[in-house]
Amino acid sequence: MRDLRVALAQIRPRLGDVAHNLAIHLDYADRAVKAGCDVVVFPEQSLTGYFLSDLVAEVAVPRDDDSLQPILDASRDIDIVFGFIERTADHRFVPAAACASGGRLLHVHQKVYLVTYGLFDEARDLAAGRHVRAFDSAHGRQAMLICEDLWHPTSAALAAADGADVIFGLSSSPGRGVGGGASELGSAETWHALNRLYAQMLVCYMVHVNRVGFEDGVNFWGGSEVVAPDGTCLARAPNFEEALVVADLPDSRLRRQRTRLPLRRDENLELVSREFARIAGERRDGIDN
Amino acid sequence: MASTTETSLQNRARHGLQLDTALAEQVLVRFIADAISKFGFTRAVVATSGGIDSALTCALAARALGPTNVLALMLPYRTGNPASRGDAETLVQALGVESHVIDVSQAVDGYLEELDDDTTPVRRGNVMARTRMIATYDQSEAFDALVAGTSNKTELLLGYGTLHGDMASAVNPIGDLYKTQVRQLAVALDLPSAILDKPPSADLWEGQSDEDELGFTYGVADEVLYLLVDEWHTPDEIVAGGYDADLVTEIRRRVQQTQFKRRPPVIAKLSDRTIDRDFRYPRDWGR
């Protein structure tokens, strides 16, 4: 990868107010350009807000919609990774992360794991994506994953196996868990552990951007961070506050850690894919184990 | 799987109920500021009884909005405990919030005198609670404020409150805190000791005590509720963990029996899109 300067845009979107949120995107992108960044990363559903329910149908747009043009225009100066709801040609609504670069959409990732339990109800309103793919930008090979995707370690493993040196995780993670003698929110603790685990064991940079603010009494805790391949947290945004945090991701750090710990070189994709295929086949054929 | 021992289940409940008070304060103060300002307001009204729940809501609101943007409304009834009024005034002094006293005795008695039948203590208590609600909402208009609620998670789950009375509010910062957690946070915020130390009472009639009326203590109720609600334990597991079977049954019954109090009024479905059933928009729509 090329040395990368990344801006974490820890914003507070307004629920269902795309025009307002678009203005926030352009402001943060502009500030990131002034800070000399190569890419600015926004949270999940950064253009729309999160707990949309029936608002989904009103805010979803095709990926080539004119309303995204201001972001494409701004992407001539900086790569912009952002979240929106994609309306597909056959009228499904899919939570998506897009990377805009050089005036066009370089790649779109559709969330593969919808979250429908506890306080979440995504599968009522949304459809899931079917692919995990890394993509090449001018700065190297990257991947985008969205929130619940990363609660399935296989998604991160696929992104890494597909060659991503940097994984952008876009989240709208509600803060919960203030009991049991914890010193930080239960959800924050879990995310920091996940980011560190993926960075270290997949030997890549993890860039996790979470939003802040409240929706219907639910708080989003922020705490966006960059974790280096050796597990060091390079930068972390404050909890609960809007912030633009800049971090440098040098290739040398990746090279040295891959040299020390050649886990990627030794990953046995043939073994993994063969065993997963066997297990999936047995599940399909109804063999319990 | 190894069976859960008596000690470990009770210890887990007690441990789980231990609040990170600094973190909870941070979230709740931000919540109040957000929920009030989102709807174009800067102020809150809190019906302040001198009890710990309304004291905590008042203290959190004062931190979130600034003391002069909080109106502590004292609404005594003639048979109320005079000490309650004194405790509320101590709180107002300590927090530096605005305050206003309106005696609701005439309003309550005026209504009750119109009735032919004999009322019960519960009915009279409900009339008092709902009269206070009228005063609180009226004053919220006069003070250009939203009503901040004072029902905690224990009361809400047990249905131990008056619907459209003390349960009525626009924003409730303490509804996800069990009674014992309310106390922990109130201690952490250094609320007046008279408020922290007295036994919980709705003060709807002389000598009323929540715990006498409920038939169990908040301490044990919170542990059982925590295990049932937060930890998804079955009643059988909780009894096996050392809690009294009748108590667990009674708490479980109360939660189920009072579910209607925690929901908006039920709407008879006729159309394709019925409000709150399949017409689902967030409260913070566009905010």
Side-chain angles (χ1 to χ4, degrees):
Chain A
M1 63 180 274
R2 286 170 60 178
D3 291 352
L4 187 70
R5 178 171 288 183
V6 60
L8 315 182
Q10 183 168 293
I11 65 167
R12 178 173 50 185
R14 199 179 274 176
L15 187 55
D17 189 345
V18 176
H20 174 85
N21 299 332
L22 180 66
I24 297 178
H25 281 66
L26 299 179
D27 174 47
Y28 274 66
D30 185 52
R31 287 161 56 193
V33 169
K34 290 185 174 118
C37 295
D38 302 299
V39 57
V40 55
V41 184
F42 289 89
E44 175 182 24
Q45 292 179 211
S46 54
L47 270 182
T48 62
Y50 182 68
F51 286 109
L52 292 162
S53 298
D54 287 0
L55 277 171
V56 160
E58 296 175 29
V59 300
V61 291
R63 65 176 69 178
D64 60 356
D65 194 71
D66 287 346
S67 66
L68 300 179
Q69 192 58 44
I71 291 187
L72 300 186
D73 292 344
S75 79
R76 294 182 195 285
D77 299 320
I78 185 170
D79 287 4
I80 301 174
V81 173
F82 65 99
F84 71 113
I85 305 287
E86 178 176 7
R87 191 176 80 223
T88 64
D90 60 347
H91 304 296
R92 285 172 299 130
F93 306 120
V94 188
C99 178
S101 179
R104 65 188 184 93
L105 282 189
L106 195 57
H107 185 73
V108 175
H109 167 72
Q110 298 180 323
K111 190 175 191 175
V112 289
Y113 285 105
L114 300 182
V115 49
T116 307
Y117 55 78
L119 75 161
F120 304 105
D121 201 10
E122 289 188 349
R124 174 182 179 269
D125 311 309
L126 301 164
R130 299 169 54 82
H131 304 283
V132 174
R133 299 268 194 278
F135 63 97
D136 290 309
S137 81
H139 311 287
R141 196 153 173 83
Q142 306 168 339
M144 297 178 285
L145 292 168
I146 304 174
C147 208
E148 186 75 358
D149 291 343
L150 286 161
W151 283 55
H152 293 259
T154 42
S155 311
L158 283 171
D162 205 19
D165 292 331
V166 181
I167 295 176
F168 299 120
L170 291 73
S171 285
S172 288
S173 167
R176 54 211 190 278
V178 293
S183 58
E184 65 175 339
L185 288 161
S187 39
E189 206 171 346
T190 304
W191 269 109
H192 294 319
L194 278 179
N195 293 333
R196 184 166 179 199
L197 176 80
Y198 293 149
Q200 278 193 292
M201 306 322 286
L202 301 172
V203 201
C204 61
Y205 284 105
M206 267 306 296
V207 175
H208 181 243
V209 180
N210 185 27
R211 58 162 291 183
V212 291
F214 287 79
E215 288 179 3
D216 285 18
V218 175
N219 77 82
F220 300 92
W221 55 274
S224 305
E225 66 177 351
V226 177
V227 184
D230 61 8
T232 309
C233 177
L234 297 181
R236 185 178 289 176
N239 286 354
F240 305 118
E241 302 273 0
E242 293 166 285
L244 184 76
V245 171
V246 175
D248 284 308
L249 285 57
D251 176 61
S252 67
R253 199 157 185 152
L254 186 67
R255 174 182 57 77
R256 287 183 292 116
Q257 190 61 11
R258 293 247 174 104
T259 306
R260 237 182 247 129
L261 208 62
L263 298 178
R264 283 219 180 179
R265 181 197 68 193
D266 298 343
E267 185 68 24
N268 190 336
L269 288 179
E270 193 279 326
L271 166 80
V272 171
S273 52
R274 173 163 40 82
E275 291 299 333
F276 269 132
R278 173 186 66 77
I279 294 161
E282 289 175 1
R283 287 258 189 110
R284 190 185 54 229
D285 298 339
I287 299 167
D288 290 329
N289 55 7
Chain B
M1 266 172 68
S3 66
T4 312
T5 67
E6 181 177 320
T7 324
S8 75
L9 195 71
Q10 292 189 341
N11 280 348
R12 266 183 41 214
R14 282 163 202 165
H15 180 69
L17 287 164
Q18 282 301 313
L19 196 63
D20 180 332
T21 51
L23 193 53
E25 179 193 347
Q26 199 181 5
V27 172
L28 297 179
V29 165
R30 287 173 187 276
F31 161 78
I32 293 169
D34 179 88
I36 299 278
S37 65
K38 251 180 191 159
F39 289 85
F41 290 86
T42 56
R43 296 164 150 193
V45 171
V46 184
T48 305
S49 65
I52 195 167
D53 299 308
S54 55
L56 179 60
T57 293
C58 222
L60 290 167
R63 279 166 169 76
L65 309 170
T68 54
N69 286 320
V70 177
L71 176 62
L73 198 56
M74 291 173 261
L75 303 164
Y77 179 73
R78 57 184 170 76
T79 63
N81 182 353
S84 301
R85 167 85 183 275
D87 293 341
E89 276 167 3
T90 307
L91 178 81
V92 165
Q93 293 290 321
L95 298 176
V97 295
E98 301 295 314
S99 69
H100 191 28
V101 183
I102 301 169
D103 191 307
V104 296
S105 304
Q106 280 195 50
V108 170
D109 291 347
Y111 170 74
L112 291 175
E113 282 163 15
E114 289 296 314
L115 304 180
D116 299 331
D117 53 344
D118 291 332
T119 56
T120 60
V122 169
R123 281 181 62 191
R124 288 193 293 277
N126 283 339
V127 171
M128 280 175 225
R130 293 187 176 118
T131 304
R132 289 185 172 123
M133 179 277 292
I134 290 172
T136 308
Y137 271 82
D138 173 57
Q139 292 299 309
S140 78
E141 176 68 20
F143 194 58
D144 194 21
L146 290 182
V147 175
T150 62
S151 298
N152 62 56
K153 189 172 185 175
T154 310
E155 290 174 340
L156 290 172
L157 285 170
L158 295 174
Y160 190 63
T162 300
L163 195 57
H164 312 305
D166 53 290
M167 289 176 79
S169 69
V171 298
N172 181 354
I174 68 166
D176 206 15
L177 291 174
Y178 288 107
K179 184 77 175 185
T180 45
Q181 296 176 316
V182 165
R183 193 183 152 74
Q184 291 169 43
L185 190 50
V187 168
L189 296 189
D190 204 20
L191 297 190
S193 56
I195 291 172
L196 299 176
D197 294 340
K198 67 183 173 186
S201 168
D203 199 17
L204 295 174
W205 54 86
E206 207 175 328
Q208 186 188 17
S209 150
D210 290 3
E211 294 180 338
D212 287 350
E213 201 184 355
L214 287 165
F216 43 77
T217 65
Y218 279 123
V220 73
D222 284 357
E223 289 175 24
V224 171
L225 287 169
Y226 172 80
L227 292 168
L228 273 174
V229 174
D230 296 66
E231 292 292 328
W232 293 82
H233 276 293
T234 64
D236 286 348
E237 287 170 341
I238 296 169
V239 172
Y243 292 89
D244 179 74
D246 291 342
L247 173 79
V248 173
T249 303
E250 170 60 10
I251 287 175
R252 172 70 174 69
R253 185 196 67 78
R254 284 196 75 122
V255 173
Q256 183 177 349
Q257 186 85 10
T258 59
Q259 174 65 4
F260 74 96
K261 287 185 154 184
R262 292 179 292 272
R263 305 291 306 160
V266 64
I267 294 174
K269 184 168 179 63
L270 290 172
S271 72
D272 272 349
R273 285 186 90 194
T274 308
I275 294 160
D276 280 341
R277 174 68 59 177
D278 28 34
F279 174 85
R280 291 194 212 173
Y281 286 83
R283 178 186 166 95
D284 288 354
W285 185 352
R287 295 173 194 276

